[in-house]
Amino acid sequence: MPTARLPAAIQPKFCDDLIRFGGNNDGGYLVQEKSISGADGLITLGVSDDLRFEEAFSALRQQPVIAVDGTVSAQIFWDNFIRGFGRPDKPKIAKNNFKAWLGFKRFFKGNRVHLKKMIGYNDPPKYLSLANLFDHEMPARMSSPLLKIDIEGWEYRILEDILATDKKLTGLLVEFHDVDLHIDKIVNFIGSFNLDLLHVHVNNNAPISPLGIPMVVEMTFGKAADGDVLAHQFPHALDQPCNAKKPDPVLVFDLA
């Protein structure tokens, strides 16, 4: 089993109410149970074609869901299905796009909304900042959401906006990319954030750097019961490898 390394400043605090939520393997996250039960909505930045987490939240809480992703839509999946349907040599492509189209059509209705925008800088109509999302796109009755982020590196562009809204959040799930290039930014964010870091999971679809640093990690933030107690076993017993065909790396926190 491979070993990945991170600085001691990134070691999570102990939490005894982590649950696995969403799908198996890639698409599922460990999240603090009270982050789910205390949320009056879910904001997801980056969904691609996987709605398992959003579906699980909606089924349990029946609260509003706002998903922001400018790279996908029901129409895009339908168009890709039609193009793939003309490729009998690749039936799986057509099948996956039809499944994604159907999932979008079924899920996004009523208080579940998909915004076809890129999150980051505020440059309408294509781009939307997190600040403007909170100020203008959230329903009036959504005041304490859970925030989930997987935006392929753009997360670094919205860290200040996350800090500006952190007292509103019940929890944060964020996938950090190119970790070896941005460790200082991640450490500074953790130190400034109102919520505690409760869990770190290595995305084993991405490589580990020559220094042992995982390129992509998933982080869970919430409220630790005891801020002085550090968690020590990674992967967690509830973790599942993002890529089921590869083992999860052991994660240690011993870098200066």
Side-chain angles (χ1 to χ4, degrees):
M1 186 175 292
T3 298
R5 306 191 124 76
L6 287 172
I10 295 180
Q11 187 167 2
K13 295 175 180 177
F14 176 74
C15 176
D16 62 0
D17 65 335
L18 288 175
I19 59 173
R20 184 168 184 87
F21 205 77
N24 290 324
N25 304 111
D26 202 7
Y29 294 83
L30 265 62
V31 58
Q32 191 173 26
E33 192 279 332
K34 67 182 68 170
S35 294
I36 299 286
S37 63
D40 58 10
L42 171 66
I43 296 175
T44 294
L45 310 181
V47 290
S48 187
D49 61 353
D50 189 348
L51 296 173
R52 289 175 294 172
F53 189 96
E54 290 71 26
E55 289 168 343
F57 178 88
S58 184
L60 182 65
R61 301 286 292 121
Q62 283 107 44
Q63 298 284 2
V65 176
I66 299 177
V68 186
D69 193 328
T71 67
V72 293
S73 68
Q75 186 63 52
I76 287 173
F77 288 128
W78 179 258
D79 291 344
N80 289 341
F81 163 68
I82 295 300
R83 283 193 289 268
F85 195 69
R87 293 288 305 274
D89 57 322
K90 294 186 177 181
K92 188 175 181 180
I93 295 177
K95 179 181 177 181
N96 289 344
N97 279 293
F98 181 81
K99 183 179 178 182
W101 169 79
L102 191 60
F104 263 57
K105 295 292 286 185
R106 287 176 172 172
F107 184 74
F108 289 113
K109 59 182 66 174
N111 65 356
R112 302 188 298 266
V113 178
H114 169 233
L115 301 177
K116 190 177 180 296
K117 297 178 183 291
M118 304 296 290
I119 202 76
Y121 304 127
N122 202 57
D123 186 16
K126 185 177 180 180
Y127 292 90
L128 176 70
S129 71
L130 185 64
N132 275 271
L133 172 63
F134 270 74
D135 290 342
H136 303 297
E137 301 291 349
M138 274 181 28
R141 65 189 182 93
M142 187 194 291
S143 58
S144 301
L146 171 65
L147 178 61
K148 181 169 78 77
I149 303 172
D150 183 2
I151 50 178
E152 307 301 321
W154 278 72
E155 61 272 10
Y156 299 106
R157 294 183 173 92
I158 64 170
L159 293 182
E160 291 300 320
D161 280 353
I162 297 172
L163 293 176
T165 59
D166 63 0
K167 291 181 175 59
K168 298 178 181 180
L169 304 177
T170 64
L172 170 68
L173 306 171
V174 55
E175 187 165 273
F176 282 107
H177 301 80
D178 300 318
V179 174
D180 57 325
L181 301 180
H182 299 292
I183 278 189
D184 289 344
K185 291 180 183 178
I186 295 171
V187 169
N188 290 337
F189 174 78
I190 293 169
S192 302
F193 197 38
N194 181 54
L195 298 176
D196 300 312
L197 178 62
L198 303 178
H199 183 60
V200 178
H201 179 241
V202 176
N203 186 325
N204 68 342
N205 281 309
I208 295 173
S209 81
L211 295 178
I213 300 171
M215 299 287 196
V216 179
V217 297
E218 302 161 349
M219 292 189 178
T220 299
F221 293 84
K223 280 295 185 183
D226 186 339
D228 295 325
V229 179
L230 299 178
H232 55 81
Q233 180 180 343
F234 299 89
H236 189 281
L238 296 177
D239 275 327
Q240 295 181 13
C242 293
N243 185 339
K245 297 180 180 179
K246 297 167 59 179
D248 257 345
V250 172
L251 183 57
V252 296
F253 301 88
D254 59 359
L255 295 180

